[in-house]
Amino acid sequence: MVFESTTEPAVFHASFRDQFEVFLDEHRSALHHSLDGLTEEQARRSLVASKTTLLGLLKHATFVEKVWFDEAVTCRTRSEIGIPDTPDESFDLHDDDTIASVQSAHQQACAASRQATEKLTLDDVLQGNRRGPLPLRWIYLHTLRELAQHCGHAEILREQILDDTMRHS
């Protein structure tokens, strides 16, 4: 089943699997679109002491997709996947990282995640995570929790950026 929003009445009674996927996709989309309408400078603007920027958040979300739905499913190493070894490094921005390139990489990672899990059940145990074997259900819940946190971070950063823009126009 394909749902557009978690607030569709059909989602209320959908299978747990469908509900997880709708919530994941809604959060993926919110984070993805947090960069819409911003300049490259705004997307890279650092407003906190950590490496967290809007562009960095989406780049990190791409890392999250690859850790939980590539590394955990395929048992490939992070090096083989082409992602940093640590979550902290996944926020690092390079000169060639742009809104378009990071959004595209995120979309591709999300599509690969959906494809990697389409034949799995919530009770299937995935062997490739550093914590040890984990059921897909737990991975969905963990990823949803992480995306929800980052969506909150993105909302606040975007609000600060846009507020600053309005005050200086």
Side-chain angles (χ1 to χ4, degrees):
M1 280 187 205
V2 176
F3 300 102
E4 305 249 336
S5 166
T6 57
T7 59
E8 283 184 45
V11 174
F12 304 158
H13 305 288
S15 70
F16 285 137
R17 172 70 180 255
D18 287 341
Q19 288 175 338
F20 280 141
E21 291 180 359
V22 172
F23 273 82
L24 280 169
D25 281 343
E26 198 167 79
H27 284 77
R28 288 167 170 153
S29 180
L31 196 53
H32 177 89
H33 291 296
S34 69
L35 295 170
D36 290 354
L38 298 180
T39 65
E40 297 294 334
E41 183 275 327
Q42 288 171 320
R44 288 174 168 271
R45 191 175 297 166
S46 177
L47 299 169
V48 294
S50 69
K51 295 180 181 181
T52 306
T53 63
L54 281 171
L55 193 61
L57 274 172
L58 191 61
K59 190 170 180 181
H60 172 71
T62 303
F63 168 84
V64 167
E65 293 286 337
K66 291 180 179 190
V67 165
W68 292 109
F69 300 112
D70 189 335
E71 181 181 29
V73 174
T74 67
C75 300
R76 295 189 311 154
T77 67
R78 291 180 183 188
S79 175
E80 290 172 312
I81 297 167
I83 58 175
D85 195 47
T86 67
D88 186 58
E89 293 172 289
S90 71
F91 285 90
D92 291 344
L93 297 175
H94 305 288
D95 290 342
D96 60 345
D97 287 326
T98 65
I99 292 170
S101 71
V102 172
Q103 281 181 321
S104 177
H106 181 249
Q107 284 180 320
Q108 290 172 19
C110 291
S113 295
R114 286 184 209 95
Q115 185 176 10
T117 59
E118 70 186 351
K119 292 187 170 114
L120 300 176
T121 71
L122 292 177
D123 294 323
D124 281 340
V125 176
L126 306 180
Q127 303 294 325
N129 187 263
R130 294 174 179 193
R131 289 182 174 104
L134 296 165
L136 180 61
R137 174 186 325 274
W138 187 92
I139 289 171
Y140 273 11
L141 285 167
H142 175 77
T143 305
L144 181 58
R145 175 180 59 192
E146 186 158 349
L147 290 175
Q149 273 185 303
H150 293 322
C151 282
H153 299 147
E155 275 187 47
I156 291 167
L157 290 174
R158 184 175 172 88
E159 183 178 315
Q160 289 177 317
I161 290 166
L162 294 176
D163 183 57
D164 186 53
T165 301
M166 295 301 289
R167 280 189 278 137
H168 291 99
S169 351

